[in-house]
Amino acid sequence: MLFLYKPEFQFRQAKVEKKVCLPAEAFEKFLRDPLQDVPCVVENKDLMCQDKEGVYHCLLVTGEGRRDGVLVEAEGYDYARYASYVPDAAALEYDSLSEFGAGLSWLADRMIQAGTDGTRDGNWTFYLDQIQEECDFSLSENPALTELLADMLVERPEVHLAYVRSDCLELRFHPEFCPNCQKETEDCQSQAGVALQAGDPGEQREQKDEGQTMEACLKDLLCARWENLHLVHDEIDYGLPHTIVELDGTTLTAAGKEAWADVLNAKVVRVFRGYSGLQMELSGVKASRLDAFSAMLAGYCSVEDYDNWVNDPEEGQAVPVMQEG
């Protein structure tokens, strides 16, 4: 990009009368010294002028293998008397392409605004037939166009991932850009604090912006029931964690508490709103054991082990509920 000190911007309407593509070396030389006499400017200076309406009729000079270019209005001279650098020359060469790009950019802005304002867990789904109502081009009939829109969206700082489905576009936002996710995180912090106080009023806790950081073990927080909880390791990311539908002090049998004592004694680093929803980050335990514990509670173990380690729901006692949203 070209940055110059300017007391004000004086905009002019411009029309490309002809495009000239120079060899890469010649274009670099032109950029370094635009006031030199340039053969292509000399040959085409009759095409360049300012008309009665104030429109600059220009020569578009580009280089081989380059996306950028320079608009030149020589005003009858042999050099670029008036010039404007453009990062994307193709958008000026084709009006239809420029309008199309502007339309996609506008649509991306609308989708990000709607998604970040509406989501409570960082995820938002846009159905292609609904998007169609907001624009003049069909996404459902043009998969390549949907892929292009997804690529544009993931280039934005608000978007972490974009999934293209047959009938929809699913976005996963960074929680810090989502006001409702911030509120949910604050609720998680408050809930974790209440649970910890109920388990051990003398336990010390430290507040941090990214979540509730504390010196407590997982078993200390099971005095409350946690719903739709995801246990994650503080050092290793195994991808999408298992969802624990319910977890409290009555979930495990005595044999279960003994078998999974290392997980129950793991230190709670923080409780926060993450990509998967309500998450509890733990340390002091092997990541493989943490993943196996979550998988076991999700039913990914033998029937014999599950019956041995997990109580039937009706056998549990009533406890405060800590849940998502």
Side-chain angles (χ1 to χ4, degrees):
M1 299 299 297
L2 176 65
F3 291 93
L4 298 174
Y5 171 77
K6 293 289 183 182
E8 64 176 320
F9 290 104
Q10 296 181 356
F11 294 99
R12 298 287 187 269
Q13 284 187 305
K15 177 176 174 56
V16 176
E17 296 295 340
K18 184 178 179 179
K19 174 185 174 181
V20 175
C21 184
L22 300 177
E25 185 177 346
F27 184 66
E28 285 286 352
K29 183 179 179 181
F30 172 62
L31 290 179
R32 290 194 298 268
D33 187 9
L35 296 182
Q36 65 176 311
D37 291 349
V38 183
C40 67
V41 173
V42 176
E43 295 167 4
N44 296 283
K45 61 182 178 181
D46 292 341
L47 298 176
M48 294 172 278
C49 66
Q50 182 181 9
D51 63 23
K52 296 180 180 179
E53 285 74 33
V55 177
Y56 278 27
H57 296 262
C58 300
L59 184 69
L60 178 59
V61 182
T62 65
E64 291 180 352
R66 300 283 295 255
R67 290 181 55 187
D68 56 349
V70 178
L71 280 175
V72 176
E73 203 282 85
E75 197 69 17
Y77 291 83
D78 294 339
Y79 62 92
R81 182 173 178 82
Y82 299 107
S84 178
Y85 175 80
V86 288
D88 194 342
L92 289 179
E93 188 179 3
Y94 303 98
D95 291 339
S96 57
L97 179 60
S98 179
E99 293 175 2
F100 176 73
L104 275 181
S105 178
W106 175 85
L107 181 59
D109 288 341
R110 288 288 300 271
M111 293 173 68
I112 288 175
Q113 186 67 51
T116 53
D117 286 348
T119 183
R120 298 179 66 87
D121 59 2
N123 300 306
W124 199 255
T125 299
F126 295 92
Y127 289 94
L128 298 184
D129 56 352
Q130 295 175 338
I131 299 176
Q132 179 64 44
E133 299 174 0
E134 299 282 340
C135 59
D136 297 328
F137 34 81
S138 176
L139 296 176
S140 58
E141 297 177 0
N142 193 338
L145 191 57
T146 307
E147 293 283 354
L148 174 60
L149 179 59
D151 290 341
M152 292 174 60
L153 289 167
V154 295
E155 291 180 15
R156 293 286 296 266
E158 300 92 340
V159 180
H160 176 60
L161 292 172
Y163 299 98
V164 178
R165 310 297 187 191
S166 59
D167 63 341
C168 66
L169 187 60
E170 297 178 2
L171 299 184
R172 178 174 292 180
F173 296 99
H174 291 288
E176 59 267 26
F177 291 98
C178 308
N180 291 330
C181 287
Q182 296 296 318
K183 183 179 183 301
E184 291 293 320
T185 298
E186 293 174 0
D187 292 342
C188 291
Q189 295 174 2
S190 177
Q191 291 176 343
V194 170
L196 186 58
Q197 290 175 356
D200 185 354
E203 193 73 46
Q204 296 182 352
R205 298 178 306 278
E206 178 186 1
Q207 295 287 343
K208 289 189 177 181
D209 292 340
E210 67 269 19
Q212 176 83 12
T213 305
M214 58 196 71
E215 294 182 2
C217 299
L218 173 59
K219 64 182 180 182
D220 296 330
L221 271 64
L222 297 188
C223 55
R225 185 195 307 145
W226 299 82
E227 295 186 350
N228 298 321
L229 178 67
H230 304 83
L231 301 181
V232 296
H233 199 273
D234 68 329
E235 295 181 352
I236 300 176
D237 182 8
Y238 273 121
L240 190 65
H242 296 284
T243 300
I244 300 176
V245 178
E246 291 184 1
L247 179 62
D248 59 50
T250 66
T251 300
L252 299 179
T253 63
K257 292 177 181 178
E258 181 179 354
W260 298 99
D262 56 333
V263 176
L264 297 177
N265 289 322
K267 296 295 183 182
V268 178
V269 177
R270 58 176 178 151
V271 179
F272 65 104
R273 175 72 53 182
Y275 297 132
S276 303
L278 184 61
Q279 297 191 19
M280 185 180 294
E281 187 175 272
L282 303 175
S283 67
V285 65
K286 291 183 177 180
S288 57
R289 286 286 291 170
L290 192 61
D291 183 67
F293 177 73
S294 299
M296 180 272 295
L297 289 175
Y300 295 99
C301 67
S302 67
V303 175
E304 180 181 357
D305 283 342
Y306 190 86
D307 290 341
N308 187 38
W309 292 335
V310 181
N311 280 313
D312 291 333
E314 59 269 18
E315 296 177 3
Q317 302 174 0
V319 292
V321 176
M322 316 292 283
Q323 61 182 357
E324 273 192 272

